[in-house]
Amino acid sequence: MTLTGQSRRFVNKLPFESYELSTAFPSKEMTTDFVVVAPTYDYEMTSIIDDFIDYKNNGHFFKGVAGSGNINFADLFVFTARDIAKKYNVPIIAEFEFSGTETDVEKFIKGVESIGNTSFTE
């Protein structure tokens, strides 16, 4: 799920399989571990992420979250990812600005590897 395309551009840099959430297809049953790349928007726009995690047994496979945002928003930088991490008791594996740098991509990959995941969703 992305409005500006920044999260999608980040995900496209990664060597993992991905699934993009959309209002047209909000529910997909996961059968392997995954992480979420969450853009920073108001809850009304990101509640689809909660719906996805709460769908069937997806919460069991949800292992971490990464957040994108604009650092100029200070305390609101990646607040969606932080809220999701707290709500579901999963680690934040990466925080990055806009579509991320190569260093952000490397950090994300290491974060995924550290929790044993091989796929993720946006």
Side-chain angles (χ1 to χ4, degrees):
M1 176 195 117
T2 179
L3 294 178
T4 63
Q6 299 287 356
S7 297
R8 183 181 304 113
R9 281 190 280 287
F10 179 79
V11 168
N12 287 338
K13 298 175 188 179
L14 301 170
F16 303 112
E17 179 184 343
S18 68
Y19 171 75
E20 184 171 344
L21 297 178
S22 72
T23 54
F25 301 102
S27 301
K28 176 181 172 75
E29 185 173 5
M30 300 300 291
T31 57
T32 60
D33 291 347
F34 68 93
V35 299
V36 169
V37 176
T40 299
Y41 297 123
D42 290 333
Y43 176 74
E44 292 78 26
M45 299 183 74
T46 58
S47 63
I48 188 173
I49 297 171
D50 287 322
D51 294 343
F52 172 76
I53 295 167
D54 294 337
Y55 183 71
K56 294 195 176 186
N57 201 30
N58 287 357
H60 172 76
F61 296 105
F62 179 41
K63 302 300 180 190
V65 63
S68 69
N70 184 327
I71 204 160
N72 289 335
F73 295 136
D75 290 343
L76 296 179
F77 177 65
V78 301
F79 76 87
T80 301
R82 292 177 186 164
D83 287 348
I84 290 170
K86 184 175 181 180
K87 179 176 182 178
Y88 294 99
N89 195 31
V90 297
I92 295 177
I93 61 169
E95 296 179 346
F96 56 93
E97 188 169 27
F98 304 121
S99 61
T101 64
E102 286 304 314
T103 300
D104 295 324
V105 169
E106 291 171 14
K107 181 178 179 182
F108 180 90
I109 292 168
K110 287 179 182 174
V112 169
E113 291 171 348
S114 76
I115 55 178
N117 291 335
T118 58
S119 63
F120 67 95
T121 186
E122 175 184 352

